[in-house]
Amino acid sequence: MAATTETKGWIGARLLRKEDARHLLGASTFTGDVRVPGLKDVAFVRSQFAHGLLNSVVKPDGLETSVFSAADFPDLKSIDGGPELPSFRTAPYHAFAREKVHFVGQIIAACLAPTRGAAEDIADQVYADIEPRPAVVDMVEALEPGAEILHEGFPDNAFIHATVSEGDIAAIAARAEVEMRRSFRMNRQATVSLEGRGVLAYWDHRLDELVVYLSTQGAHMMRIGLSLALGLPEHKLHVIAPDVGGGFGGKNRLMPEEVAVCAIALKTGQPVRWIEDRREHLIASVHCREHHYDLTLYAEKSGRILGLKGEVHIDAGAYSLWPSGPFMEASMAARNLPGPYQMQALHVETHTVATNKAPMGPYRGVARPGACYAIERAVDELAHKLGMEPADVRRINLVTPDQMPYRTIGGLRLDNGDYPRALDMVRDMVDLPAIRRRQAEGETDGRRIGVGFAVYTEQSGHGAAEWMKRKSRIVPGYESCTARVLPDGSMLLLVGIQNHGQGLETSLAQIAAHELTLDPAFISVRYGDTALTPFGFGTFASRSTVFSGGAVAKATRLVAEKARRIGAHLMQTEYEETRLEDGAVHGPSGKVPLAEIARAANVRQEFLPAGMSPLLEATATYEPEESGGFFSYGAHAVVVAVDPETGVTSLLDYAIAEDCGTMINPLIVDGQIIGGVAQGIGTALYEEIPYDPDGQPLATTFGDYMVPCAPELPKLRIAHLITPAHGTEYGVKGMGEGGAIAPPAAISNAVCDALHGLGVIIRETPLTPRRVSDAVAEAEERRAAVSLKEEVPA
Amino acid sequence: MKPAAFEYARPADLAEACALLGELGDAAMPVAGGQSLVPMMSLRLTGFETLLDISRLDALKVVRDEETHVFIGAAVTHAMIEDGKVPDPAFGLMARVASKIAYRAVRNMGTIGGSVGLADPASDWPCCLLALGAEVVLAGAEGERVLGAGGFFLGPYETARDPAEIITGFRIPKLSAGARWGTFKVARKSGAFSDSLAIAVLTAEGEARVALTGTLDHAQLLPGASAALAAGDLAAVREAARAEVAQADPDADAYRLRCHVATVTRAAEEALTMEPRR
């Protein structure tokens, strides 16, 4: 049963974020703020060719000891990622290019100097002798016969071909009244965290370890990767992720710059750092999104969808990043294509393709923005074909609450929720009939109004079974927490996730506060330091509230139990007679504050029950019982105005109805939605890294790469449904990505709705003014051609 | 993305600045807000041995409200114009243009003189100054020189400024009461350089000037569209624009030409429908 509000103790409290003060005061410590005596800066020499044989690297005279290339590190291991599948082809990815370069921006050499400017001066003098080869830049053409092959031993340019098939698609095709084939393309993006990547490394002689400050989403995970690449045992690697200014997936892969900086620090014995600049970020950081869909939708004339057949191409770039490579992109795209809809058959051939571009990594939403875009655009085109209202076609096909849990034809178990209600809510919020009336009347300024819908699901909190199904070489099936009560009764939570903008210092403190009836002001959350916290996988895949929140709940409950035992002893009553309230253990007659109990447990053991070990702390791990994940979902509706001549799109209204189960902190939930939608608007309208036929990236600064800023964001109206998850602590579901999933679909549908009457066809993102204006002009030419034909007498 | 090392000089007054610039020639570049120059140096697209910081020279911050003209010093920021901190010779046109330049953070630092001096083909002020019939005032070792805006812009990033000269400000004729104007800009998003920007001015005396920028060359006046605007014929403006934008931007593709026609027509439309300004 979906409710709209729920608050219980600290769960559901609208607390301002603990982390805001330092960020607003400019007092944060990012990797770039860390100072170490004698620190030197690295500037990388990067390939200017997309594809070529690297014959030699010539260091400038007299500066040989300040320049490093592959020849200086013969023992450095390549950092290959990908699933543990025999059908997945691996190409070694070395921190410094050896023999060949495969994308513009690939690292050839590193230059060391007291300042970054001076290091760039040296980099300008390094000569790389590269014999260019033809560049492969299109993921579909890359698989055609005769295409240049990137990697030795690959029979074609695919890292992997795989088929996702369920149900009898041939039988569905035979009986379907409607068959509709469409191609859709979502173009390449960067992840554009506010803080770019960064790494600082030095050998600490006292601790006899390499200290690595790293802007990452998972310090423990990166220690594993660095250990593999450097050949250094893990106890000699101390990874610290200080304040991290956003990651969105882009800081969840081991990257060559990180290995290179550590290797240089080890080789020279000097503290070394590299701070990514925005040009490097756009050219050579994790790229994302680039998908091509060729889909055939089978349906009844009533609008009921029967099945989906097609091909998905993923442009994975040149290499497969550690640990999991780009493989999940294809399987998730295919399995999420049915979205929230009932279907009887699905048959999708996927191709994860190597091209001469920067390697692809995860980005908020991972594959689902593409899949949602493809299916939701197809639903609108089906509605147009059948002369139906697109929202009605959705309504007919959505999974209903009485069908839950529902296993989609893509094999995902939708656990609970009311999808049709979410759609109805946004339809009412934007007032669909009013928009249709306004469209019929037309605009006085020549613009055209359109409305678009998209419904999405967001798998979150998936555990071991799901990751094993994906053949992941790391199985992030749990999280951990040490809950430590200090002698004065205040508390530390040591967790293995990485807060990098999600407000987890606040929401995890709220969970512990809820269990211990302590004020969150007395609880500090610590993370991002391999020497400080128990092992954990970090923050990604909308998992931290489910997993880390669960671990915090479990650990603090163990602490609460021990506190009650001590309290019972001090009050000379039975454990069963005690309860926690207002930061104290209460008995039948009287109470003992937690502070007093903590003092006894830590420094006055004579007050403990006989035989009880001292300390008031516990470590727990948590994995939900259901491993397939918990599905947040939502519906977005957007109203746009499109200028058909200039192609400029403005967002007039944006309504969201979403359900992420129980909310720990509704303010943080709304913040996550707003941030995600902003990025989704970027995918829909602005962000793109095009490549020319030679493999040169054409968006290399913010002058060319457009990111939505405050003026591009409409006021987002958010409504919440609350269907608590069964099988997580408090009924929470993860929800960090949903905001970014639906906007490309909803906005594209709205733009196409606006221009539908003109016969305009656009099946590609982003909908830049140029793309839209050109599509309108093409439609005009088509109409002109048709009318000319009709003038010719039969 | 850090600039190569350079010398930094901060002359005390305009005379010293001109002398220094005369001495160093094109090895030196004056800098005020640095909003274009510094990123270009960081990207190592350009470089100078010496940067001459002229941002604090009082002579460049002078603003004079004269009888027929307003003089705006070169170091006046976009933000000051946007906020109406200096007299507007065109009843709010300059404030409107300023408000659409890049982002507020850029406008707080960037100056009108710097923008005109750089002459980026997509920048806003050259177009505005042409539409207003303004003059550019330059100071050099030999004294002052005044050039009409039309003769100042020679090409993309190319002006009539001698490397040893400093732009001191702009003499902008005041529009008389009853004037009307319009602007229209197409950009990929707010704050981005324009794909096309047109500014139309219709004076109380019936004279019209339509200027266009966002071309691959430099901002320029469109005489045909201007004449059509003076005649009050919007359809004729569009027709004239179709012919003229192809000349003004010969290498433009179909999309860019479409944008130019749109901005010219809509700037003219705003001018024609605007309540006369007083």
Side-chain angles (χ1 to χ4, degrees):
Chain A
M1 190 61 183
T4 47
T5 54
E6 185 177 307
T7 303
K8 192 179 159 222
W10 291 106
I11 304 295
R14 303 171 70 86
L15 236 58
L16 292 177
R17 301 195 308 178
K18 283 167 168 279
E19 44 272 72
D20 286 343
R22 69 177 186 274
H23 292 318
L24 293 172
L25 289 168
S28 327
T29 304
F30 296 95
T31 299
D33 298 314
V34 175
R35 292 288 175 269
V36 177
L39 186 61
K40 287 193 167 175
D41 268 302
V42 166
F44 287 106
V45 177
R46 297 175 182 276
S47 175
Q48 298 185 11
F49 292 97
H51 193 193
L53 303 176
L54 178 59
N55 292 329
S56 64
V57 178
V58 184
K59 300 177 182 180
D61 285 344
L63 293 167
E64 288 84 356
T65 56
S66 300
V67 180
F68 304 87
S69 66
D72 297 297
F73 303 103
D75 298 330
L76 217 47
K77 308 281 191 305
S78 64
I79 42 175
D80 321 325
E84 290 179 330
L85 280 171
S87 51
F88 189 87
R89 303 164 190 155
T90 322
Y93 190 17
H94 293 284
F96 293 92
R98 298 180 181 184
E99 293 161 19
K100 276 187 90 183
V101 290
H102 282 114
F103 66 95
V104 171
Q106 186 170 355
I107 295 172
I108 290 171
C111 304
L112 201 57
T115 67
R116 172 67 182 255
E120 289 184 23
D121 289 347
I122 300 173
D124 285 345
Q125 302 170 56
V126 176
Y127 173 71
D129 178 8
I130 294 173
E131 191 181 322
R133 303 280 311 154
V136 176
V137 292
D138 183 274
M139 57 189 145
V140 180
E141 290 169 11
L143 294 182
E144 285 170 5
E148 173 83 7
I149 302 290
L150 264 71
H151 296 299
E152 203 181 327
F154 278 35
D156 62 26
N157 276 319
F159 285 110
I160 187 168
H161 301 279
T163 303
V164 174
S165 190
E166 195 154 326
D168 188 346
I169 195 71
I172 291 292
R175 77 175 164 89
E177 296 166 313
V178 183
E179 179 179 327
M180 186 191 81
R181 185 174 175 184
R182 296 284 185 272
S183 292
F184 301 101
R185 187 182 277 266
M186 177 170 277
N187 281 305
R188 176 165 284 246
Q189 278 183 241
T191 58
V192 198
S193 47
L194 202 52
E195 180 214 16
R197 291 183 296 126
V199 54
L200 181 157
Y202 64 92
W203 189 264
D204 185 313
H205 289 278
R206 179 176 69 86
L207 300 171
D208 199 30
E209 65 183 17
L210 187 72
V211 176
V212 184
Y213 283 87
L214 188 60
S215 186
T216 179
Q217 296 174 222
H220 288 281
M221 287 276 290
M222 291 307 138
R223 178 165 66 175
I224 298 174
L226 286 172
S227 169
L228 291 171
L230 299 168
L232 203 59
E234 289 178 22
H235 76 296
K236 296 293 179 196
L237 269 164
H238 179 182
V239 179
I240 301 167
D243 276 322
V244 174
F248 312 111
K251 293 175 182 170
N252 205 35
R253 292 290 180 267
L254 185 65
M255 298 293 278
E257 291 88 351
E258 297 158 6
V259 176
V261 163
C262 290
I264 294 168
L266 287 171
K267 189 178 177 74
T268 63
Q270 294 178 341
V272 177
R273 74 167 184 180
W274 167 75
I275 304 296
E276 183 182 65
D277 67 33
R278 195 54 70 179
R279 184 167 58 170
E280 291 177 297
H281 180 84
L282 292 172
I283 295 173
S285 226
V286 162
H287 280 184
C288 54
R289 289 291 187 259
E290 193 166 10
H291 293 192
H292 182 271
Y293 295 84
D294 178 355
L295 301 179
T296 302
L297 197 64
Y298 299 105
E300 293 172 356
K301 280 182 192 161
S302 64
R304 178 165 287 281
I305 299 168
L306 300 174
L308 195 57
K309 187 179 80 175
E311 262 189 301
V312 179
H313 287 78
I314 307 291
D315 188 330
Y319 296 100
S320 174
L321 297 172
W322 188 90
S324 35
F327 173 63
M328 272 175 220
E329 197 80 14
S331 63
M332 283 177 70
R335 292 169 65 201
N336 278 283
L337 264 175
Y341 300 117
Q342 309 169 44
M343 290 183 201
Q344 296 164 34
L346 175 75
H347 183 91
V348 183
E349 309 276 349
T350 71
H351 314 283
T352 304
V353 185
T355 60
N356 291 116
K357 301 179 187 174
M360 170 183 263
Y363 176 50
R364 201 175 199 168
V366 186
R368 288 160 295 188
C372 178
Y373 167 71
I375 185 65
E376 291 292 67
R377 283 288 295 107
V379 166
D380 264 41
E381 300 234 350
L382 177 67
H384 288 150
K385 196 178 176 71
L386 298 175
M388 295 176 69
E389 178 66 62
D392 292 340
V393 175
R394 289 187 170 77
R395 199 69 168 71
I396 291 169
N397 291 288
L398 281 174
V399 174
T400 57
D402 57 292
Q403 293 175 301
M404 303 277 192
Y406 178 89
R407 191 177 180 283
T408 71
I409 200 71
L412 301 175
R413 180 183 174 275
L414 305 177
D415 50 333
N416 62 12
D418 191 339
Y419 297 7
R421 186 163 168 221
L423 176 62
D424 291 348
M425 284 167 79
V426 292
R427 173 156 48 182
D428 291 347
M429 285 163 80
V430 297
D431 195 350
L432 183 58
I435 294 163
R436 294 295 179 220
R437 285 195 297 276
R438 183 175 166 181
Q439 283 178 318
E441 286 161 14
E443 302 294 306
T444 53
D445 60 4
R447 295 195 298 178
R448 298 177 70 93
I449 302 297
V451 60
F453 292 88
V455 185
Y456 71 91
T457 66
E458 178 187 3
Q459 186 182 25
S460 74
H462 29 294
E466 173 70 12
W467 293 95
M468 288 186 299
K469 192 157 80 182
R470 298 180 188 181
K471 301 291 180 193
S472 178
R473 60 177 72 196
I474 300 276
V475 176
Y478 66 91
E479 268 305 325
S480 59
C481 170
T482 296
R484 178 176 297 156
V485 183
L486 303 175
D488 68 352
S490 61
M491 187 179 195
L492 290 179
L493 298 173
L494 311 175
V495 290
I497 50 85
Q498 178 70 32
N499 178 40
H500 51 285
Q502 294 83 357
L504 287 158
E505 288 174 37
T506 309
S507 46
L508 294 181
Q510 281 179 250
I511 289 173
H514 182 80
E515 293 297 334
L516 282 173
T517 70
L518 259 181
D519 190 301
F522 297 111
I523 302 169
S524 291
V525 179
R526 292 282 179 266
Y527 52 86
D529 188 331
T530 54
L532 185 64
T533 79
F535 187 88
F537 295 92
T539 291
F540 54 93
S542 299
R543 66 191 295 278
S544 288
T545 300
V546 172
F547 282 95
S548 191
V552 168
K554 267 178 79 175
T556 46
R557 269 179 216 142
L558 292 171
V559 166
E561 186 196 322
K562 186 167 182 178
R564 282 172 60 202
R565 291 199 186 282
I566 299 168
H569 174 70
L570 292 174
M571 290 184 285
Q572 301 203 325
T573 183
E574 295 303 315
Y575 170 76
E576 290 73 21
E577 299 290 316
T578 61
R579 66 195 153 79
L580 271 163
E581 196 179 308
D582 294 333
V585 174
H586 293 249
S589 54
K591 62 176 180 179
V592 190
L594 271 174
E596 201 171 311
I597 291 169
R599 198 171 74 98
N602 283 290
V603 295
R604 295 299 297 266
Q605 306 95 65
E606 72 269 31
F607 294 120
L608 294 180
M612 179 182 274
S613 55
L615 297 182
L616 189 53
E617 73 171 64
T619 297
T621 64
Y622 175 82
E623 175 178 11
E625 285 166 30
E626 167 56 48
S627 218
F630 303 88
F631 284 77
S632 293
Y633 64 91
H636 289 202
V638 56
V639 182
V640 301
V642 184
D643 184 321
E645 189 172 23
T646 63
V648 171
T649 298
S650 314
L651 304 180
L652 303 183
D653 191 13
Y654 204 117
I656 297 157
E658 75 86 50
D659 186 347
C660 62
T662 303
M663 293 185 277
I664 303 295
N665 184 332
L667 288 178
I668 289 176
V669 168
D670 283 357
Q672 286 286 318
I673 293 169
I674 293 165
V677 170
Q679 288 174 308
I681 290 171
T683 302
L685 295 176
Y686 303 107
E687 298 184 45
E688 181 178 13
I689 303 181
Y691 279 75
D692 78 4
D694 295 326
Q696 292 293 329
L698 301 177
T700 61
T701 72
F702 279 154
D704 306 308
Y705 189 89
M706 299 288 135
V707 183
C709 295
E712 278 67 56
L713 295 189
K715 184 170 166 50
L716 305 176
R717 297 188 290 142
I718 303 170
H720 295 287
L721 293 128
I722 297 173
T723 315
H726 300 297
T728 63
E729 293 291 347
Y730 318 109
V732 297
K733 296 178 176 183
M735 53 74 56
E737 300 168 90
I741 294 175
I747 294 169
S748 297
N749 278 339
V751 170
C752 291
D753 182 63
L755 302 175
H756 179 54
L758 300 177
V760 172
I761 298 167
I762 317 180
R763 297 183 184 131
E764 190 172 1
T765 65
L767 295 159
T768 57
R770 172 183 291 276
R771 211 164 254 140
V772 172
S773 176
D774 282 349
V776 172
E778 282 161 22
E780 275 167 17
E781 282 165 21
R782 273 197 305 274
R783 281 204 310 277
V786 167
S787 59
L788 278 176
K789 274 184 196 162
E790 284 169 353
E791 279 165 25
V792 179
Chain B
M1 220 167 74
K2 299 286 181 205
F6 56 85
E7 296 295 324
Y8 172 84
R10 198 161 81 209
D13 55 31
L14 189 59
E16 189 189 332
C18 288
L20 209 51
L21 207 50
E23 186 187 314
L24 299 171
D26 54 14
M29 177 56 83
V31 61
Q35 296 301 292
S36 296
L37 182 64
V38 173
M40 286 170 78
M41 289 176 66
S42 292
L43 289 164
R44 302 198 175 203
L45 296 172
T46 187
F48 300 93
E49 284 171 23
T50 305
L51 285 192
L52 218 60
D53 184 354
I54 56 171
S55 66
R56 304 177 204 202
L57 296 184
D58 290 335
L60 303 183
K61 295 180 184 170
V62 169
V63 175
R64 281 193 307 269
D65 195 351
E66 297 165 353
E67 195 179 338
T68 57
H69 289 74
V70 168
F71 179 85
I72 296 181
V76 168
T77 62
H78 311 311
M80 287 177 72
I81 299 170
E82 176 184 14
D83 295 347
K85 298 272 173 60
V86 300
D88 194 325
F91 301 107
L93 170 61
M94 289 189 70
R96 160 88 78 88
V97 170
S99 74
K100 306 280 185 190
I101 296 173
Y103 309 94
R104 181 69 196 200
V106 172
R107 300 197 290 271
N108 285 339
M109 297 292 289
T111 64
I112 182 169
S115 169
V116 168
L118 180 67
D120 186 300
S123 64
D124 305 60
W125 286 127
C127 183
C128 182
L129 295 177
L130 273 174
L132 290 173
E135 292 168 325
V136 183
V137 183
L138 299 142
E142 271 99 69
E144 196 177 270
R145 193 158 75 105
V146 179
L147 286 174
F152 183 77
F153 300 107
L154 303 179
Y157 305 103
E158 199 186 340
T159 69
R161 182 184 75 90
D162 184 88
E165 285 180 313
I166 290 173
I167 300 171
T168 56
F170 307 94
R171 283 191 81 229
I172 308 166
K174 287 180 176 177
L175 294 178
S176 27
R180 293 175 285 169
W181 49 258
T183 75
F184 203 89
K185 184 172 185 170
V186 176
R188 283 168 63 190
K189 67 173 201 111
S190 65
F193 274 112
S194 59
D195 285 316
S196 181
L197 165 68
I199 299 177
V201 173
L202 194 51
T203 69
E205 296 77 17
E207 192 192 340
R209 272 191 301 269
V210 179
L212 175 72
T213 197
T215 67
L216 297 171
D217 193 352
H218 58 87
Q220 47 205 295
L221 288 170
L222 305 181
S226 301
L229 173 60
D233 185 345
L234 199 57
V237 169
R238 183 175 266 274
E239 276 316 300
R242 274 187 210 287
E244 280 180 322
V245 298
Q247 277 181 319
D249 200 0
D251 295 325
D253 59 21
Y255 169 68
R256 194 61 78 99
L257 291 176
R258 234 177 278 138
C259 287
H260 290 333
V261 171
T263 59
V264 168
T265 309
R266 293 178 203 193
E269 186 178 9
E270 185 187 7
L272 284 173
T273 52
M274 175 178 273
E275 281 291 310
R277 298 274 160 150
R278 309 202 172 272

